[in-house]
Amino acid sequence: MYDSDALTGLIALLGGFIIILAIAVIAWAIFYIIGVFKLFEKAGQPGWKAIIPYYNNWTLVEIAGLEWYWFLLLLVPTILSLIGLDSLAAIGNIVNIVANVNIFYNLSKKFNKSTGWVVLSVFFGFITLPILGYSKADVWNAAAPVTPNGLFDAKNASATQSNPAQQVTPQPMNNTQTVVTPQPMDNNQATVQPQPVVNPEQPNVDVNNTNNQQ
């Protein structure tokens, strides 16, 4: 026979562990949601998007400046599980990791974080993401340049910036531009002759008769 007191103690211990674990999970969920809420507000997005599952992932892809299909790559493990392709779960997880790397890579540019932060976030993003929201030292830089495909475009973007042949240089002005010069006035143009002013107080004098008398 089993000792009933020992069994009762074991059940109580297991129950206490489950309660502590549930409290820890709830505390972490609150910590995570509030942190991502603040993170979205830093990035100019409504904070309530952090509460909605999957929509918060879409918002992360959006603020990271990635193309829309990176959000679909985040869902590959879930899609494979729903259609019963559990044998491809490893491939789905790899695709998910690649998508997360690009998200954290672009976010590191926006928040001026190091490469080490990107690596840490791939495995502990549930901690590093909310910390970005809580930290006052981490400021969102909307003007920081990012690429729409993360690391896949990073090398091409840096090569374009370093290659002077691909840079646009200002072109000199064309010296053959047409110059409009003022045209001389035509001497044959009609000129207005001044007319003599007639004083109404003086009598009218016939100029032609006066000339004839002289």
Side-chain angles (χ1 to χ4, degrees), residues 119-133:
V119 177
L120 186 65
S121 298
V122 172
F123 300 98
F124 301 100
F126 58 91
I127 297 176
T128 58
L129 275 180
I131 288 178
L132 282 180

Side-chain angles (χ1 to χ4, degrees), residues 67-99:
E67 294 287 352
W68 60 270
Y69 45 78
W70 288 103
F71 168 70
L72 297 181
L73 296 180
L74 287 174
L75 302 179
V76 168
T78 304
I79 295 173
L80 292 177
S81 177
L82 290 175
I83 62 179
L85 295 178
D86 295 332
S87 59
L88 300 178
I91 297 176
N93 291 331
I94 293 174
V95 173
N96 184 275
I97 291 174
V98 172

Side-chain angles (χ1 to χ4, degrees), residues 52-161:
I52 304 176
Y54 297 106
Y55 192 39
N56 51 14
N57 290 332
W58 169 263
T59 306
L60 276 177
V61 172
E62 187 177 8
I63 66 176
L66 295 173
E67 294 287 352
W68 60 270
Y69 45 78
W70 288 103
F71 168 70
L72 297 181
L73 296 180
L74 287 174
L75 302 179
V76 168
T78 304
I79 295 173
L80 292 177
S81 177
L82 290 175
I83 62 179
L85 295 178
D86 295 332
S87 59
L88 300 178
I91 297 176
N93 291 331
I94 293 174
V95 173
N96 184 275
I97 291 174
V98 172
N100 277 290
V101 167
N102 278 336
I103 291 174
F104 292 123
Y105 176 79
N106 278 9
L107 287 179
S108 70
K109 301 298 182 182
K110 294 293 187 179
F111 284 98
N112 194 25
K113 307 299 287 187
S114 64
T115 304
W117 181 88
V118 177
V119 177
L120 186 65
S121 298
V122 172
F123 300 98
F124 301 100
F126 58 91
I127 297 176
T128 58
L129 275 180
I131 288 178
L132 282 180
Y134 287 111
S135 176
K136 294 182 179 179
D138 295 320
V139 180
W140 171 263
N141 182 10
V146 293
T147 55
N149 291 302
L151 285 171
F152 293 93
D153 289 338
K155 293 183 179 180
N156 295 332
S158 60
T160 302
Q161 293 177 359

Side-chain angles (χ1 to χ4, degrees), residues 205-214:
V205 178
D206 190 350
V207 179
N208 293 327
N209 294 332
T210 305
N211 292 332
N212 295 330
Q213 292 176 1
Q214 292 178 358

Side-chain angles (χ1 to χ4, degrees), residues 153-173:
D153 289 338
K155 293 183 179 180
N156 295 332
S158 60
T160 302
Q161 293 177 359
S162 61
N163 188 358
Q166 296 181 358
Q167 295 180 355
V168 178
T169 56
Q171 300 296 327
M173 294 182 62

